[in-house]
């Protein structure tokens, strides 16, 4: 697009024309370049915040939830399952007695395994989730304040240098950025420092100052679209769970209230389980005594 200008000795809209009209164009290009830089800074800040929330804050919220609330939910689920099983076991045994049949404990247990399969799987799933987050918590590197600040500073720098939204189509930058994401999530400061050195030769975009005003405006439109998408994503993250649980989990009174409710329900389920277990034992004992008496009577009749 610059061939004609090159033939006449002019430099087009690249900001280097010294004629009055060219000075105006150069000023406009400088303004557009400044706007591009401002938009890129805002996009970078939004991206860094999103990565921090998704890679560090949300996993920490989930771990806190399972340590403070989830562990009690698992215990509650187990207590409720045990109470349901005890109640149904007694009901099946009573039904057998009413029919004049022998109480077959093995047969009842097998029937309950099938009947309560969904509940058992639910408890197993919750237990696996609890163990997953306990393992994550125990394996997570906890950085000191200064190291954490350096980690975030380096990630912010690398995000501007490497993020695919700012450098679309660059597979090498995207690969390095994925490494930076992992380093942020795992708290690997050494890896982040290494990536900073390894990508130091990757300038933000050395060719922007060679674009004309129309091309710069097109770049600005694209950046504004990206910024809007980043802001929408950030808003969704911060306005929904699990992020919105953060303040509540930090509130000891709220946590205590939730735990108290679950402990009361656990106590009620355990009391119910004990009650039906006792009824089942009595029923099985009565049935055994009746069978024993019947056999004794039968033996006397035979003699």
């Amino acid at each position: 697009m610059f061939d004609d200008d090159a033939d006449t000795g002019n430099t087009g809209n690249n900001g280097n024309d010294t004629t009055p009209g060219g000075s105006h164009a150069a000023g406009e290009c400088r303004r557009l370049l400044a706007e591009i830089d401002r938009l890129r800074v805002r996009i970078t800040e939004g991206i860094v915040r999103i990565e921090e929330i998704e890679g560090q804050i949300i996993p920490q919220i989930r771990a806190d939830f399972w340590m403070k609330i989830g562990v009690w939910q698992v215990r509650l689920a187990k207590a409720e399952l045990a109470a349901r099983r005890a109640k149904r076991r007694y009901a099946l045994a009573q039904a057998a007695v009413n029919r004049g049949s022998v109480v077959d404990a093995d047969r009842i247990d097998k029937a309950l395994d099938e009947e309560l399969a969904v509940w058992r799987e639910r408890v197993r799933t919750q237990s696996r989730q609890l163990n997953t987050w306990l393992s994550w918590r125990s394996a997570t590197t906890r950085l000191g304040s200064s190291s954490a600040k350096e980690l975030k500073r380096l990630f912010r720098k690398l995000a501007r240098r490497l993020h695919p939204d700012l450098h679309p189509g660059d597979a090498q930058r995207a690969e390095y950025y994925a490494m930076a994401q992992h380093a942020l999530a795992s708290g690997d400061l050494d890896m982040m420092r290494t990536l900073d050195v390894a990508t130091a030769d990757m300038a933000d975009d050395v060719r922007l100052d060679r674009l004309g005003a129309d091309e710069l405006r097109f770049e600005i439109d694209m950046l504004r679209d990206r910024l809007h998408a980043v802001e929408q994503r950030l808003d969704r993250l911060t306005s929904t769970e699990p992020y919105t649980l953060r303040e509540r989990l930090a509130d000891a009174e709220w946590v205590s209230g939730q735990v108290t409710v679950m402990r009361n329900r656990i106590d009620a389920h355990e009391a119910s389980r004990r009650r039906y277990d006792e009824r089942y034992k009595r029923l099985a004992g009565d049935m055994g005594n009746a069978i024993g008496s019947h056999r004794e009577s039968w033996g006397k009749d035979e003699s």
Side-chain angles (χ1 to χ4, degrees):
M1 63 179 287
F2 299 115
D3 291 346
D4 292 340
D5 291 334
D7 291 340
T8 59
N10 293 330
T11 57
N13 292 329
N14 64 357
N16 296 320
D17 197 339
T18 57
T19 64
S23 297
H24 175 75
E28 177 66 4
C29 285
R30 283 194 296 271
R31 186 189 70 77
L32 294 172
L33 286 169
E35 176 65 7
I36 288 173
D37 188 65
R38 186 187 71 84
L39 289 170
R40 286 190 163 192
V41 168
R42 290 187 61 189
I43 291 171
T44 301
E45 289 174 350
I47 288 169
V48 169
R49 183 58 178 162
I50 288 171
E51 295 293 351
E52 181 184 15
I53 290 173
E54 291 184 333
Q56 292 184 316
I57 294 176
I58 285 180
Q60 186 61 57
I61 291 172
R62 293 190 188 279
D64 285 347
F65 173 84
W66 281 101
M67 290 186 68
K68 296 177 179 180
I69 303 294
V71 64
W72 289 100
Q73 289 182 336
V74 172
R75 185 174 169 187
L76 174 59
K78 290 179 177 179
E80 185 173 0
L81 174 59
R84 283 175 175 267
R85 189 180 187 93
K87 184 176 181 179
R88 285 292 295 147
R89 184 175 66 162
Y90 170 74
L92 292 175
Q94 183 65 66
V97 171
N98 293 342
R99 292 192 305 269
S101 303
V102 175
V103 176
D104 187 335
D106 291 339
R107 184 176 181 180
I108 289 176
D109 284 339
K110 184 177 180 181
L112 289 175
D113 285 343
E114 295 177 359
E115 182 178 325
L116 299 173
V118 173
W119 279 87
R120 293 169 64 203
E121 181 58 31
R122 187 180 303 170
V123 170
R124 282 195 291 265
T125 298
Q126 289 186 344
S127 296
R128 285 194 295 267
Q129 288 178 307
L130 173 62
N131 292 338
T132 295
W133 287 106
L134 290 179
S135 297
W136 179 88
R137 181 66 175 265
S138 64
T140 300
T141 301
R142 291 187 171 274
L143 297 175
S145 177
S146 60
S147 295
K149 288 180 180 178
E150 183 182 358
L151 184 77
K152 292 178 183 179
R153 179 184 64 79
L154 287 173
F155 182 76
R156 186 176 293 107
K157 182 179 180 182
L158 291 171
R160 168 134 189 183
R161 185 183 293 169
L162 305 171
H163 197 280
D165 280 355
L166 298 175
H167 305 280
D170 193 323
Q172 186 178 23
R173 289 181 195 252
E175 183 178 358
Y176 277 127
Y177 184 71
M179 297 178 191
Q181 285 179 298
H182 184 267
L184 178 69
S186 60
D188 192 341
L189 181 56
D190 289 338
M191 180 62 170
M192 200 74 82
R193 288 168 174 166
T194 301
L195 288 170
D196 183 36
V197 175
T199 62
D201 60 328
M202 294 181 173
D204 285 344
D205 197 336
V206 297
R207 300 187 62 85
L208 275 179
D209 60 353
R210 299 178 62 179
L211 299 179
D214 289 342
E215 293 165 308
L216 291 175
R217 291 189 188 97
F218 180 72
E219 178 73 13
I220 286 172
D221 287 341
M222 290 194 300
L223 289 173
R224 284 174 176 162
D225 288 341
R226 290 173 192 155
L227 177 60
H228 180 65
V230 167
E231 289 175 339
Q232 283 189 317
R233 184 178 173 190
L234 185 57
D235 182 65
R236 285 194 300 270
L237 275 175
T238 56
S239 61
T240 57
E241 288 188 2
Y243 187 86
T244 53
L245 284 173
R246 191 181 188 187
E247 290 186 5
R248 281 178 283 175
L249 289 170
D251 183 346
E253 185 175 346
W254 181 83
V255 171
S256 178
Q258 297 295 309
V259 170
T260 297
V261 170
M262 285 187 284
R263 291 185 70 165
N264 290 338
R265 291 179 63 191
I266 290 168
D267 289 343
H269 286 309
E270 290 182 344
S272 176
R273 176 188 58 78
R274 289 192 297 268
R275 184 168 60 253
Y276 282 107
D277 280 348
E278 287 299 322
R279 291 181 181 179
Y280 176 80
K281 289 177 183 178
R282 287 198 301 269
L283 187 64
D286 292 343
M287 190 68 179
N289 292 335
I291 293 173
S293 299
H294 177 72
R295 285 176 178 173
E296 183 178 350
S297 176
W298 179 81
K300 290 178 180 179
D301 290 341
E302 288 294 311
S303 62

